[in-house]
């Protein structure tokens, strides 16, 4: 009987271990945010880059918006997971919005601009990092989120927004530059959904092979804290820092409307920033790994915020 008893005890011990394992796996599943496929993000960036110049208020920007919408619709299972639309222009901008409804109506906007700078000196400027890298990140997220909602619902609603008219045609003024993000924020105010927007996470110039993201100084401090914590948790502490320089970027209209916003930007592109707004901003300067780094941290931030009931903010 002693041996039978022993067997019974060890069977119980085995069962308990199995339950513990299952519980911890379950916990892990609940808190593990999905990650993007970096190579896929690069393919999307390449496709967007190959469209050529995407200058605000030109056919190129309109074509880029249509291309983004078509790429989203091509993702297997997307039609059941989310929806995509080009928001009717109010001042010549072609913003694209992909929405993934989640468990909660509160939403987080993850944004990037898809237009490119008009450069008279480089008429065919197509912006690999400054434009296409963010587009690649967001489309790869759309692919990831489509797969994720087939397994379980998202902890909150996620909107992936591709802004037009970020670049100033001449110089930044109230009406030149940030046109798409200003129009988007106006829309949130008008349809009364601004109160449900818990955070805006902007990705800009995140493809640099030599990535170092320096959060814009005018980011919401509590949100920047969460980004830094999640970057460290993902093993990317060395690639992130909190900057002191304020940025006039697409997160700014959200800040002006009293919403939480953070700008993930690497504004040091090439020696002395020489690849920025020059013909040197080409696909060989960006990498799948860099885009994935920024995209994965953004998704981690969404999960962390939503699972804490946005108490961090
Ligand atoms: Zn730019």
């Amino acid at each position: 009987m002693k041996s039978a008893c022993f067997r019974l005890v060890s069977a119980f011990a085995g069962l308990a271990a199995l339950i513990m394992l299952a519980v911890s796996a379950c916990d892990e599943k609940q808190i593990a945010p999905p990650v993007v496929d970096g190579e896929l993000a690069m393919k999307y960036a390449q496709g967007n880059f190959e469209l050529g110049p995407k200058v605000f208020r030109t056919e190129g920007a309109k074509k880029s918006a249509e291309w983004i919408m078509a790429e989203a619709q091509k993702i297997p299972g997307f039609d059941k997971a989310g929806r995509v639309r080009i928001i009717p222009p109010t001042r010549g901008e072609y913003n694209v919005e992909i929405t993934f409804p989640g468990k909660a109506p509160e939403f987080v906007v993850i944004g990037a601009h898809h237009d490119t700078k008009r450069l008279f000196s480089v008429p065919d400027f197509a912006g690999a990092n400054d434009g296409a890298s963010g587009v690649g990140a967001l489309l790869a997220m759309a692919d990831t989120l489509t797969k994720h909602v087939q397994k379980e619902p998202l902890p909150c609603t996620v909107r992936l927004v591709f802004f037009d008219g970020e670049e100033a045609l001449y110089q930044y003024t109230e009406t030149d530059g940030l046109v798409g993000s200003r129009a988007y924020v106006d829309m949130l105010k008008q349809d009364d959904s601004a109160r449900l927007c818990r955070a805006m996470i902007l990705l800009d110039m995140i493809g640099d092979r030599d990535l170092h993201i320096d959060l814009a100084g005018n980011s919401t401090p509590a949100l920047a804290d969460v980004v830094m914590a999640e970057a460290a948790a993902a093993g990317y502490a060395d690639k992130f820092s909190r900057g002191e320089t304020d940025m006039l970027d697409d997160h700014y209209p959200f800040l002006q409307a009293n919403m939480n916003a953070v700008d993930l930007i690497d504004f040091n592109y090439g020696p002395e920033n020489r690849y920025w707004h020059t013909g040197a901003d080409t696909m060989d300067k960006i990498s799948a790994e860099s885009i994935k780094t920024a995209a994965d941290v953004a998704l981690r931030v969404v999960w962390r915020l939503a699972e804490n009931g946005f108490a961090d903010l």
Side-chain angles (χ1 to χ4, degrees):
M1 286 307 289
K2 197 180 170 192
S3 68
C5 184
F6 176 74
R7 273 203 296 273
L8 202 65
V9 166
S10 58
F12 271 126
L15 196 65
L18 266 173
I19 290 168
M20 297 269 284
L21 210 72
V23 166
S24 76
C26 199
D27 272 1
E28 212 155 272
K29 196 181 165 205
Q30 274 177 352
I31 57 162
V35 293
V36 306
D37 176 344
E39 295 301 330
L40 179 65
M42 259 313 251
K43 271 188 213 152
Y44 282 130
Q46 176 86 40
N48 189 250
F49 178 79
E50 283 171 3
L51 295 177
K54 296 161 280 279
V55 176
F56 176 50
R57 287 187 182 141
T58 69
E59 198 57 26
K62 184 170 180 247
K63 278 202 178 126
S64 171
E66 287 164 354
W67 178 86
I68 290 165
M69 187 157 103
E71 290 302 314
Q73 286 165 334
K74 275 191 225 165
I75 297 169
F78 175 77
D79 56 336
K80 291 191 186 70
R83 52 183 186 266
V84 59
R85 63 171 178 152
I86 292 175
I87 298 171
T90 56
R91 51 204 91 163
E93 82 287 358
Y94 285 90
N95 288 339
V96 188
E97 178 190 58
I98 302 177
T99 303
F100 289 96
K103 281 193 273 193
E106 287 92 353
F107 64 90
V108 175
V109 170
I110 304 178
H113 73 90
H114 73 91
D115 65 309
T116 52
K117 177 73 179 166
R118 176 173 67 175
L119 291 180
F120 293 110
S121 55
V122 192
D124 61 348
F125 178 75
N129 190 24
D130 198 359
S133 70
V135 171
L138 265 57
L139 279 172
M141 284 186 209
D143 179 82
T144 290
L145 296 177
T146 297
K147 291 191 177 98
H148 191 85
V149 296
Q150 287 162 5
K151 291 179 286 172
E152 59 181 346
L154 306 185
C156 69
T157 296
V158 178
R159 295 188 186 187
L160 306 174
V161 185
F162 305 74
F163 299 110
D164 190 6
E166 184 274 331
E167 302 286 6
L169 291 175
Y170 296 96
Q171 58 181 9
Y172 285 100
T173 65
E174 287 286 301
T175 52
D176 193 6
L178 315 183
V179 177
S181 48
R182 282 192 168 113
Y184 191 80
V185 166
D186 285 348
M187 183 192 80
L188 293 183
K189 287 197 265 187
Q190 279 157 20
D191 70 12
D192 199 31
S193 56
R195 65 194 168 81
L196 294 172
C197 179
R198 290 289 169 271
M200 189 275 188
I201 304 166
L202 179 63
L203 307 183
D204 195 5
M205 299 176 69
I206 45 79
D208 188 350
R209 279 182 177 277
D210 175 26
L211 186 71
H212 188 90
I213 290 170
D214 200 34
L215 304 182
N218 55 351
S219 301
T220 304
L223 183 55
D225 286 344
V226 175
V227 172
M228 292 305 291
E230 290 307 311
Y236 299 132
D238 58 326
K239 295 199 183 294
F240 282 73
S241 56
R242 290 189 65 153
E244 284 168 9
T245 311
D246 290 355
M247 290 284 167
L248 202 52
D249 207 343
D250 285 324
H251 67 310
Y252 187 66
F254 289 76
L255 293 172
Q256 281 186 308
N258 292 317
M259 286 180 263
N260 301 302
V262 63
D263 185 6
L264 276 61
I265 185 166
D266 176 357
F267 198 50
N268 187 5
Y269 186 32
E272 267 130 45
N273 211 11
R274 279 204 296 266
Y275 301 162
W276 174 64
H277 288 182
T278 69
D281 184 6
T282 45
M283 289 303 292
D284 55 308
K285 312 296 192 312
I286 70 172
S287 76
E289 197 190 345
S290 296
I291 301 177
K292 179 177 166 57
T293 299
D296 284 353
V297 168
L299 288 179
R300 287 186 75 102
V301 171
V302 173
W303 255 248
R304 152 96 173 256
L305 291 174
E307 281 171 354
N308 286 349
F310 301 98
D312 293 290
L313 301 174

